[in-house]
Coordinates of all heavy atoms in Angstrom, one line a residue:
M1 N 164.4 18.4 -56.7 CA 165.5 19.0 -57.3 C 166.2 18.0 -58.2 O 166.4 16.9 -58.0 CB 166.5 19.4 -56.2 CG 166.8 20.8 -56.1 SD 168.0 21.2 -54.9 CE 167.0 21.5 -53.5
S2 N 166.7 18.6 -59.3 CA 167.4 17.7 -60.3 C 168.9 17.8 -60.1 O 169.4 18.7 -59.5 CB 167.0 18.1 -61.7 OG 167.6 19.4 -62.0
D3 N 169.6 16.9 -60.7 CA 171.0 16.9 -60.7 C 171.5 18.1 -61.5 O 172.5 18.7 -61.1 CB 171.6 15.6 -61.3 CG 171.3 14.4 -60.4 OD1 171.1 14.6 -59.1 OD2 171.2 13.3 -60.9
A4 N 170.9 18.4 -62.6 CA 171.3 19.6 -63.4 C 171.3 20.9 -62.6 O 172.2 21.7 -62.6 CB 170.5 19.7 -64.6
Y5 N 170.2 21.0 -61.8 CA 170.1 22.2 -60.9 C 171.3 22.3 -60.0 O 171.9 23.3 -59.9 CB 168.8 22.1 -60.1 CG 168.7 23.2 -59.1 CD1 168.4 24.5 -59.4 CD2 169.0 22.9 -57.7 CE1 168.4 25.5 -58.4 CE2 169.0 23.9 -56.8 CZ 168.7 25.2 -57.1 OH 168.7 26.1 -56.1
D6 N 171.6 21.2 -59.3 CA 172.7 21.2 -58.3 C 174.0 21.5 -59.0 O 174.8 22.2 -58.5 CB 172.7 19.9 -57.6 CG 171.5 19.6 -56.8 OD1 170.9 20.6 -56.3 OD2 171.2 18.4 -56.6
Y7 N 174.2 20.9 -60.2 CA 175.4 21.1 -60.9 C 175.6 22.6 -61.4 O 176.7 23.2 -61.1 CB 175.4 20.2 -62.2 CG 176.7 20.1 -62.9 CD1 177.8 19.5 -62.4 CD2 176.8 20.7 -64.2 CE1 179.0 19.4 -63.1 CE2 178.0 20.6 -64.9 CZ 179.0 20.0 -64.4 OH 180.2 19.9 -65.1
F8 N 174.6 23.2 -61.9 CA 174.6 24.6 -62.4 C 174.8 25.5 -61.2 O 175.5 26.5 -61.2 CB 173.4 24.9 -63.2 CG 173.4 24.3 -64.6 CD1 172.1 23.8 -65.1 CD2 174.5 24.1 -65.3 CE1 172.1 23.2 -66.3 CE2 174.4 23.5 -66.6 CZ 173.2 23.1 -67.1
R9 N 174.1 25.2 -60.1 CA 174.1 26.0 -58.9 C 175.5 26.0 -58.3 O 176.0 27.1 -57.9 CB 173.1 25.5 -57.9 CG 173.0 26.3 -56.6 CD 172.3 27.6 -56.8 NE 172.2 28.2 -55.5 CZ 172.0 29.5 -55.4 NH1 171.8 30.2 -56.4 NH2 171.9 30.0 -54.2
A10 N 176.2 24.9 -58.3 CA 177.6 24.8 -57.8 C 178.5 25.7 -58.6 O 179.4 26.4 -58.1 CB 178.0 23.4 -57.8
H11 N 178.3 25.6 -59.9 CA 179.1 26.5 -60.8 C 178.8 27.9 -60.6 O 179.8 28.8 -60.7 CB 178.9 26.1 -62.3 CG 179.7 24.9 -62.7 ND1 181.0 24.9 -63.0 CD2 179.3 23.6 -62.9 CE1 181.5 23.7 -63.3 NE2 180.4 22.9 -63.3
A12 N 177.6 28.3 -60.4 CA 177.2 29.7 -60.1 C 177.9 30.2 -58.9 O 178.5 31.3 -58.8 CB 175.7 29.8 -60.0
V13 N 177.9 29.4 -57.8 CA 178.5 29.8 -56.5 C 180.0 30.0 -56.7 O 180.6 30.9 -56.2 CB 178.1 28.8 -55.4 CG1 178.9 29.0 -54.2 CG2 176.6 28.9 -55.1
A14 N 180.6 29.0 -57.4 CA 182.1 29.1 -57.6 C 182.4 30.3 -58.4 O 183.4 31.0 -58.2 CB 182.5 27.8 -58.3
A15 N 181.6 30.6 -59.4 CA 181.9 31.8 -60.3 C 181.7 33.1 -59.5 O 182.5 34.0 -59.7 CB 180.9 31.8 -61.5
V16 N 180.7 33.2 -58.6 CA 180.6 34.4 -57.8 C 181.7 34.6 -56.9 O 182.3 35.7 -56.7 CB 179.2 34.3 -57.0 CG1 179.2 35.4 -56.0 CG2 178.1 34.4 -57.9
R17 N 182.2 33.5 -56.3 CA 183.4 33.6 -55.4 C 184.6 34.0 -56.1 O 185.4 34.8 -55.6 CB 183.6 32.2 -54.7 CG 182.6 31.9 -53.7 CD 182.9 30.6 -53.0 NE 181.8 30.3 -52.0 CZ 181.5 29.1 -51.6 NH1 182.2 28.1 -52.0 NH2 180.5 29.0 -50.7
K18 N 184.8 33.5 -57.4 CA 185.9 33.9 -58.2 C 185.8 35.4 -58.5 O 186.8 36.1 -58.5 CB 185.9 33.0 -59.4 CG 187.2 33.2 -60.3 CD 187.2 32.3 -61.4 CE 188.3 32.5 -62.4 NZ 188.3 31.6 -63.5
A19 N 184.6 35.8 -58.9 CA 184.4 37.2 -59.2 C 184.7 38.2 -58.0 O 185.3 39.2 -58.2 CB 183.0 37.5 -59.7
R20 N 184.3 37.7 -56.8 CA 184.6 38.6 -55.6 C 186.1 38.7 -55.3 O 186.5 39.7 -54.8 CB 183.9 38.0 -54.4 CG 182.4 38.1 -54.5 CD 181.7 37.5 -53.3 NE 180.3 37.7 -53.3 CZ 179.4 37.0 -52.6 NH1 179.9 36.2 -51.7 NH2 178.1 37.2 -52.7
A21 N 186.8 37.7 -55.7 CA 188.3 37.7 -55.5 C 189.0 38.6 -56.5 O 190.2 39.0 -56.2 CB 188.8 36.3 -55.5
L22 N 188.4 38.9 -57.6 CA 189.1 39.7 -58.6 C 189.1 41.2 -58.3 O 188.2 41.7 -57.6 CB 188.4 39.4 -60.0 CG 188.6 38.1 -60.6 CD1 187.7 37.9 -61.8 CD2 190.0 37.8 -61.0
P23 N 190.1 41.9 -58.7 CA 190.1 43.3 -58.6 C 189.1 44.0 -59.5 O 188.7 43.4 -60.5 CB 191.5 43.7 -59.0 CG 192.0 42.7 -59.9 CD 191.3 41.4 -59.4
P24 N 188.6 45.2 -59.1 CA 187.6 45.8 -60.0 C 188.2 46.0 -61.4 O 189.3 46.3 -61.6 CB 187.4 47.2 -59.3 CG 187.9 47.0 -57.9 CD 188.9 45.9 -58.0
G25 N 187.3 45.8 -62.4 CA 187.7 46.0 -63.8 C 186.8 45.2 -64.7 O 185.8 44.5 -64.3
R26 N 187.3 45.1 -65.9 CA 186.6 44.4 -67.0 C 186.5 42.9 -66.7 O 185.5 42.3 -67.0 CB 187.3 44.7 -68.3 CG 186.6 44.1 -69.5 CD 185.5 45.0 -70.0 NE 185.0 44.4 -71.3 CZ 183.8 44.2 -71.5 NH1 182.9 44.6 -70.6 NH2 183.3 43.8 -72.6
T27 N 187.6 42.3 -66.2 CA 187.6 40.9 -65.9 C 186.6 40.5 -64.9 O 185.9 39.5 -65.0 CB 189.0 40.5 -65.5 OG1 190.0 40.9 -66.4 CG2 189.1 39.0 -65.3
K28 N 186.5 41.3 -63.9 CA 185.5 41.1 -62.8 C 184.1 41.1 -63.4 O 183.2 40.3 -63.0 CB 185.7 42.1 -61.7 CG 184.8 41.8 -60.5 CD 185.1 42.7 -59.3 CE 184.3 42.3 -58.1 NZ 184.9 42.8 -56.9
Q29 N 183.8 42.1 -64.3 CA 182.5 42.2 -64.9 C 182.1 41.0 -65.7 O 181.0 40.5 -65.7 CB 182.4 43.5 -65.7 CG 182.4 44.8 -65.0 CD 182.5 46.0 -65.9 OE1 182.7 45.8 -67.1 NE2 182.2 47.1 -65.3
K30 N 183.1 40.5 -66.5 CA 182.9 39.3 -67.3 C 182.6 38.1 -66.4 O 181.7 37.3 -66.7 CB 184.1 39.0 -68.2 CG 184.2 40.0 -69.3 CD 185.4 39.6 -70.2 CE 185.6 40.5 -71.4 NZ 186.8 40.1 -72.2
Q31 N 183.4 38.0 -65.3 CA 183.2 36.8 -64.4 C 181.8 36.9 -63.8 O 181.2 35.9 -63.6 CB 184.3 36.8 -63.4 CG 184.3 35.6 -62.5 CD 184.5 34.3 -63.2 OE1 185.3 34.2 -64.1 NE2 183.8 33.2 -62.9
R32 N 181.4 38.1 -63.4 CA 180.0 38.2 -62.8 C 178.9 37.8 -63.8 O 177.9 37.3 -63.5 CB 179.8 39.6 -62.3 CG 180.6 39.9 -61.0 CD 180.3 41.2 -60.5 NE 178.8 41.2 -60.2 CZ 178.2 42.1 -59.4 NH1 178.9 43.0 -58.8 NH2 176.9 42.0 -59.2
T33 N 179.2 38.2 -65.1 CA 178.2 37.8 -66.2 C 178.2 36.3 -66.3 O 177.1 35.7 -66.4 CB 178.7 38.4 -67.5 OG1 178.7 39.8 -67.3 CG2 177.7 38.1 -68.6
V34 N 179.3 35.6 -66.2 CA 179.3 34.2 -66.3 C 178.5 33.6 -65.1 O 177.8 32.7 -65.3 CB 180.8 33.6 -66.3 CG1 180.8 32.1 -66.0 CG2 181.5 34.0 -67.6
A35 N 178.7 34.2 -63.9 CA 178.0 33.7 -62.7 C 176.5 33.9 -62.9 O 175.7 33.0 -62.6 CB 178.4 34.5 -61.5
R36 N 176.1 35.0 -63.6 CA 174.6 35.2 -63.8 C 174.1 34.1 -64.8 O 173.0 33.7 -64.6 CB 174.4 36.6 -64.4 CG 174.5 37.7 -63.4 CD 174.0 39.0 -64.0 NE 174.6 40.1 -63.2 CZ 175.6 40.9 -63.7 NH1 176.0 40.8 -65.0 NH2 176.1 41.8 -62.9
V37 N 174.9 33.8 -65.8 CA 174.5 32.8 -66.8 C 174.2 31.5 -66.1 O 173.2 30.8 -66.2 CB 175.5 32.7 -67.9 CG1 175.2 31.4 -68.8 CG2 175.5 33.9 -68.8
Y38 N 175.2 31.1 -65.2 CA 175.1 29.8 -64.5 C 173.9 29.8 -63.6 O 173.1 28.9 -63.5 CB 176.3 29.6 -63.6 CG 177.5 29.2 -64.4 CD1 178.8 29.6 -63.9 CD2 177.5 28.3 -65.5 CE1 180.0 29.2 -64.6 CE2 178.6 28.0 -66.2 CZ 179.9 28.4 -65.7 OH 181.0 28.0 -66.4
H39 N 173.6 31.0 -63.0 CA 172.4 31.1 -62.1 C 171.1 31.0 -62.9 O 170.2 30.2 -62.4 CB 172.5 32.4 -61.3 CG 171.3 32.6 -60.4 ND1 171.2 32.0 -59.2 CD2 170.2 33.4 -60.5 CE1 170.1 32.3 -58.7 NE2 169.5 33.2 -59.4
L40 N 171.1 31.6 -64.0 CA 169.9 31.5 -64.9 C 169.7 30.0 -65.3 O 168.5 29.5 -65.4 CB 169.9 32.4 -66.1 CG 169.8 33.9 -65.7 CD1 170.1 34.7 -67.0 CD2 168.4 34.2 -65.2
L41 N 170.8 29.4 -65.7 CA 170.7 28.0 -66.1 C 170.2 27.1 -65.0 O 169.4 26.2 -65.2 CB 172.0 27.5 -66.6 CG 172.5 28.0 -68.0 CD1 173.9 27.6 -68.2 CD2 171.6 27.5 -69.1
S42 N 170.6 27.4 -63.8 CA 170.2 26.6 -62.6 C 168.7 26.8 -62.4 O 167.9 25.8 -62.1 CB 171.0 26.9 -61.4 OG 170.7 28.2 -60.9
R43 N 168.2 28.0 -62.5 CA 166.8 28.3 -62.4 C 165.9 27.6 -63.4 O 164.9 27.0 -63.1 CB 166.5 29.8 -62.4 CG 167.1 30.5 -61.1 CD 166.9 31.9 -61.2 NE 165.4 32.2 -61.1 CZ 165.0 33.4 -61.3 NH1 165.7 34.5 -61.5 NH2 163.7 33.6 -61.2
E44 N 166.4 27.6 -64.7 CA 165.7 26.9 -65.7 C 165.7 25.4 -65.5 O 164.7 24.7 -65.8 CB 166.3 27.3 -67.1 CG 166.0 28.7 -67.5 CD 166.5 29.0 -68.9 OE1 167.0 28.1 -69.6 OE2 166.5 30.2 -69.3
A45 N 166.8 24.9 -65.1 CA 166.9 23.4 -64.9 C 166.1 23.0 -63.8 O 165.6 21.8 -63.7 CB 168.4 23.1 -64.6
A46 N 165.8 23.9 -62.8 CA 164.9 23.5 -61.7 C 163.5 23.3 -62.1 O 162.8 22.5 -61.6 CB 165.0 24.5 -60.6
L47 N 163.1 24.1 -63.1 CA 161.7 24.0 -63.6 C 161.5 22.8 -64.5 O 160.5 22.1 -64.3 CB 161.4 25.3 -64.4 CG 161.4 26.6 -63.6 CD1 161.1 27.8 -64.5 CD2 160.3 26.5 -62.5
A48 N 162.4 22.6 -65.5 CA 162.3 21.5 -66.4 C 163.6 21.1 -67.0 O 164.2 21.9 -67.7 CB 161.3 21.8 -67.5
P49 N 164.2 20.0 -66.7 CA 165.5 19.6 -67.2 C 165.3 19.6 -68.8 O 164.3 19.1 -69.3 CB 165.7 18.2 -66.7 CG 164.8 18.1 -65.5 CD 163.7 19.0 -65.7
N50 N 166.4 20.1 -69.4 CA 166.3 20.1 -70.9 C 167.8 20.0 -71.4 O 168.7 20.6 -70.8 CB 165.7 21.5 -71.3 CG 165.4 21.5 -72.7 OD1 166.0 20.8 -73.5 ND2 164.4 22.3 -73.1
I51 N 167.9 19.3 -72.5 CA 169.3 19.1 -73.0 C 169.8 20.4 -73.6 O 171.0 20.5 -73.8 CB 169.2 17.9 -74.1 CG1 170.6 17.4 -74.4 CG2 168.6 18.3 -75.3 CD1 171.1 16.3 -73.5
R52 N 169.0 21.3 -74.0 CA 169.4 22.6 -74.6 C 170.3 23.4 -73.6 O 171.0 24.2 -74.0 CB 168.2 23.4 -75.1 CG 167.6 22.8 -76.3 CD 166.5 23.6 -76.8 NE 165.5 23.7 -75.7 CZ 164.4 24.5 -75.8 NH1 164.1 25.2 -76.8 NH2 163.5 24.5 -74.8
H53 N 170.1 23.2 -72.3 CA 170.9 23.9 -71.3 C 172.4 23.6 -71.5 O 173.2 24.4 -71.1 CB 170.5 23.5 -69.9 CG 169.1 23.9 -69.6 ND1 168.7 25.2 -69.4 CD2 168.0 23.1 -69.5 CE1 167.4 25.2 -69.1 NE2 166.9 24.0 -69.2
L54 N 172.7 22.4 -72.0 CA 174.1 22.0 -72.1 C 174.9 22.9 -73.1 O 176.0 23.3 -72.8 CB 174.2 20.6 -72.6 CG 173.8 19.5 -71.6 CD1 173.8 18.1 -72.2 CD2 174.6 19.6 -70.3
D55 N 174.3 23.4 -74.2 CA 174.9 24.3 -75.1 C 175.2 25.6 -74.4 O 176.3 26.2 -74.6 CB 174.1 24.5 -76.4 CG 173.9 23.2 -77.2 OD1 174.8 22.4 -77.1 OD2 172.9 23.1 -77.9
D56 N 174.3 26.1 -73.7 CA 174.5 27.4 -72.9 C 175.6 27.2 -71.9 O 176.4 28.1 -71.7 CB 173.2 27.8 -72.3 CG 172.1 28.1 -73.3 OD1 172.4 28.5 -74.4 OD2 170.9 28.0 -72.9
F57 N 175.6 26.1 -71.2 CA 176.6 25.8 -70.2 C 178.0 25.7 -70.9 O 178.9 26.3 -70.3 CB 176.3 24.5 -69.5 CG 177.3 24.1 -68.5 CD1 177.4 24.7 -67.3 CD2 178.2 23.0 -68.8 CE1 178.4 24.4 -66.4 CE2 179.2 22.6 -67.9 CZ 179.3 23.3 -66.7
R58 N 178.1 25.1 -72.0 CA 179.4 25.0 -72.7 C 179.9 26.4 -73.1 O 181.1 26.7 -73.0 CB 179.3 24.0 -73.8 CG 179.2 22.6 -73.4 CD 179.1 21.7 -74.6 NE 178.9 20.3 -74.1 CZ 177.9 19.5 -74.5 NH1 177.0 20.0 -75.4 NH2 177.7 18.3 -74.1
A59 N 179.0 27.2 -73.6 CA 179.3 28.6 -74.0 C 179.8 29.4 -72.8 O 180.8 30.1 -72.9 CB 178.2 29.3 -74.6
A60 N 179.2 29.2 -71.6 CA 179.6 29.9 -70.4 C 181.0 29.4 -70.0 O 181.8 30.2 -69.5 CB 178.6 29.8 -69.3
R61 N 181.2 28.1 -70.0 CA 182.5 27.5 -69.6 C 183.6 28.0 -70.5 O 184.7 28.4 -70.1 CB 182.4 26.0 -69.7 CG 181.6 25.3 -68.7 CD 182.1 25.4 -67.3 NE 183.3 24.5 -67.2 CZ 184.0 24.4 -66.1 NH1 183.7 25.1 -65.1 NH2 185.0 23.6 -66.1
R62 N 183.3 28.1 -71.9 CA 184.3 28.7 -72.8 C 184.7 30.1 -72.4 O 185.9 30.5 -72.4 CB 183.8 28.6 -74.2 CG 184.2 27.4 -74.9 CD 183.9 27.4 -76.4 NE 182.8 26.5 -76.6 CZ 181.5 26.8 -77.0 NH1 181.3 28.0 -77.4 NH2 180.6 25.9 -77.1
L63 N 183.7 30.9 -72.1 CA 183.9 32.3 -71.7 C 184.7 32.4 -70.4 O 185.7 33.2 -70.3 CB 182.6 33.1 -71.6 CG 182.7 34.5 -71.1 CD1 183.6 35.3 -72.2 CD2 181.4 35.1 -71.0
E64 N 184.4 31.5 -69.5 CA 185.1 31.5 -68.2 C 186.6 31.1 -68.4 O 187.5 31.7 -67.8 CB 184.4 30.6 -67.2 CG 184.9 30.7 -65.8 CD 184.1 29.9 -64.8 OE1 183.3 29.1 -65.2 OE2 184.3 30.2 -63.6
R65 N 186.8 30.2 -69.3 CA 188.2 29.8 -69.6 C 189.0 30.9 -70.2 O 190.2 31.1 -70.0 CB 188.3 28.6 -70.5 CG 188.1 27.3 -69.7 CD 188.4 26.1 -70.5 NE 187.3 25.2 -70.3 CZ 186.4 24.8 -71.2 NH1 186.5 25.2 -72.5 NH2 185.4 24.0 -70.9
Q66 N 188.3 31.7 -71.1 CA 189.0 32.8 -71.8 C 189.3 33.9 -70.7 O 190.3 34.6 -70.9 CB 188.1 33.4 -72.9 CG 188.0 32.5 -74.1 CD 187.0 33.1 -75.1 OE1 186.3 34.1 -74.8 NE2 186.9 32.4 -76.2
I67 N 188.5 34.1 -69.8 CA 188.7 35.1 -68.7 C 189.9 34.7 -67.9 O 190.8 35.6 -67.6 CB 187.5 35.3 -67.8 CG1 186.3 35.9 -68.6 CG2 187.8 36.1 -66.6 CD1 185.0 35.8 -67.8
G68 N 190.1 33.4 -67.7 CA 191.2 33.0 -66.9 C 192.6 33.1 -67.5 O 193.6 33.1 -66.8
R69 N 192.6 33.3 -68.8 CA 193.9 33.4 -69.5 C 194.6 34.7 -69.3 O 194.2 35.7 -68.9 CB 193.7 33.3 -71.0 CG 193.3 31.9 -71.4 CD 193.2 31.7 -72.8 NE 192.6 30.4 -73.1 CZ 192.1 30.1 -74.3 NH1 192.2 31.0 -75.3 NH2 191.6 28.9 -74.5

């Protein structure tokens, strides 16, 4: 297991928990999408660590910050 996998997996779990706490609606759907992105990144990082994952991760983090506003 790589460190990137653990890092992305932790973000995926946190995003899922955050989505479960939200009331039904558009915000919850967006948060679940962010969780899916983190999960996919963790699966890809488990296969082969790659620096390109960081750009996807940063995009997901930006979206998650926008949801929180």
Side-chain angles (χ1 to χ4, degrees):
M1 235 184 275
S2 71
D3 292 333
Y5 169 80
D6 296 330
Y7 188 72
F8 291 142
R9 182 76 174 157
H11 279 284
V13 170
V16 168
R17 287 182 182 157
K18 186 175 177 182
R20 287 180 182 164
L22 292 171
R26 183 84 172 131
T27 306
K28 185 172 187 161
Q29 290 175 348
K30 286 182 180 180
Q31 186 63 40
R32 287 187 59 162
T33 302
V34 169
R36 283 189 206 113
V37 169
Y38 287 145
H39 180 71
L40 290 172
L41 287 172
S42 71
R43 290 178 65 187
E44 288 181 8
L47 296 175
N50 194 332
I51 196 92
R52 289 182 298 177
H53 296 286
L54 293 177
D55 293 334
D56 297 333
F57 175 73
R58 288 181 185 125
R61 291 289 288 179
R62 267 188 252 118
L63 178 61
E64 191 170 16
R65 278 190 229 114
Q66 289 175 354
I67 293 170
R69 291 182 189 167

